[in-house]
Amino acid sequence: MQGYENKQALIDEMTKRATLFIDEFDSIDDHDKDTLVNEVDRTPAQMIAYQLGWMNLILSWEDDNKNGKEVITPTKDYKWNKLGGLYQHFYDQYADYSLEKLTAMFQRDVKKMIDLVDSYKDTELFEQGGRQWATTTPSSWPIWKWIHINTVAPFQSFRTKIRKWKKVRGV
């Protein structure tokens, strides 16, 4: 997994990957947002919902920590070995939104994630134990790794998925 020299490098990579991912949706019609193709495991709307779900989970973990609440990751209702149900929850949560609205929500939430990264001290971001929520698994990752795994990495891998979806659909 790639590392980051500093928080600006993480912000720059998140911005770059988010833009490359979400720009792929400009050429997709809203009536195709829920179309599944055999070669890709998610619809365009599900791809964005997945991203929104994870970003909002991290933001909620942070808010709960700031408010003195103990955070259970990923959520009190879903365990790490049962993420399929969590993903379905994300898809259901965002199912009624247009692609235009989903795109706007994505851009808004990326901004929130950037603001969150920018708010951390380097020690909080890059050393283990920066937040209680980041220590809830045996790996006890530093915050930057949680953010990378749930933003930069899927922005990149889902860009490949949406490009394949578009190729299959002839978009």
Side-chain angles (χ1 to χ4, degrees):
M1 173 187 318
Q2 80 181 64
Y4 297 96
E5 188 175 310
N6 54 45
K7 68 179 164 182
Q8 189 57 52
L10 175 55
I11 289 169
D12 291 347
E13 191 68 10
M14 188 186 316
T15 302
K16 174 185 171 184
R17 297 298 173 183
T19 301
L20 288 170
F21 168 71
I22 207 64
D23 284 354
E24 293 292 339
F25 292 85
D26 290 346
S27 58
I28 299 173
D29 290 332
D30 196 59
H31 70 275
D32 288 330
K33 76 178 182 82
D34 298 314
T35 301
L36 188 64
V37 298
N38 289 334
E39 296 84 348
V40 182
D41 63 349
R42 290 176 175 89
T43 69
Q46 288 174 333
M47 291 182 209
I48 298 175
Y50 177 97
Q51 312 300 330
L52 290 170
W54 277 110
M55 285 189 288
N56 281 288
L57 262 184
I58 291 174
L59 292 166
S60 73
W61 297 341
E62 184 68 18
D63 284 345
D64 285 350
N65 249 176
K66 284 180 181 176
N67 292 320
K69 297 178 185 173
E70 181 181 356
V71 176
I72 298 169
T73 60
T75 74
K76 64 179 175 60
D77 298 321
Y78 299 100
K79 304 294 179 217
W80 287 113
N81 62 349
K82 301 284 186 186
L83 292 176
L86 179 62
Y87 301 158
Q88 189 60 54
H89 171 76
F90 294 160
Y91 306 153
D92 294 345
Q93 182 178 359
Y94 297 103
D96 294 333
Y97 293 102
S98 69
L99 212 47
E100 180 181 1
K101 180 66 175 170
L102 289 168
T103 301
M105 292 165 75
F106 176 86
Q107 291 167 331
R108 177 201 66 205
D109 291 349
V110 167
K111 171 78 170 91
K112 288 179 183 179
M113 291 299 300
I114 288 168
D115 291 345
L116 177 63
V117 170
D118 198 40
S119 74
Y120 289 126
K121 297 175 192 165
D122 286 343
T123 55
E124 292 172 320
L125 189 59
F126 292 106
E127 295 177 14
Q128 287 182 317
R131 288 290 186 274
Q132 175 269 324
W133 61 260
T135 64
T136 59
T137 63
S139 59
S140 190
W141 286 342
I143 293 169
W144 78 265
K145 193 176 275 193
W146 284 94
I147 291 173
H148 171 86
I149 287 293
N150 291 295
T151 60
V152 176
F155 295 168
Q156 193 168 359
S157 64
F158 276 67
R159 180 175 183 235
T160 302
K161 288 179 186 274
I162 193 61
R163 291 170 65 92
K164 186 172 187 174
W165 184 94
K166 287 167 52 175
K167 183 177 181 182
V168 169
R169 293 285 297 164
V171 176

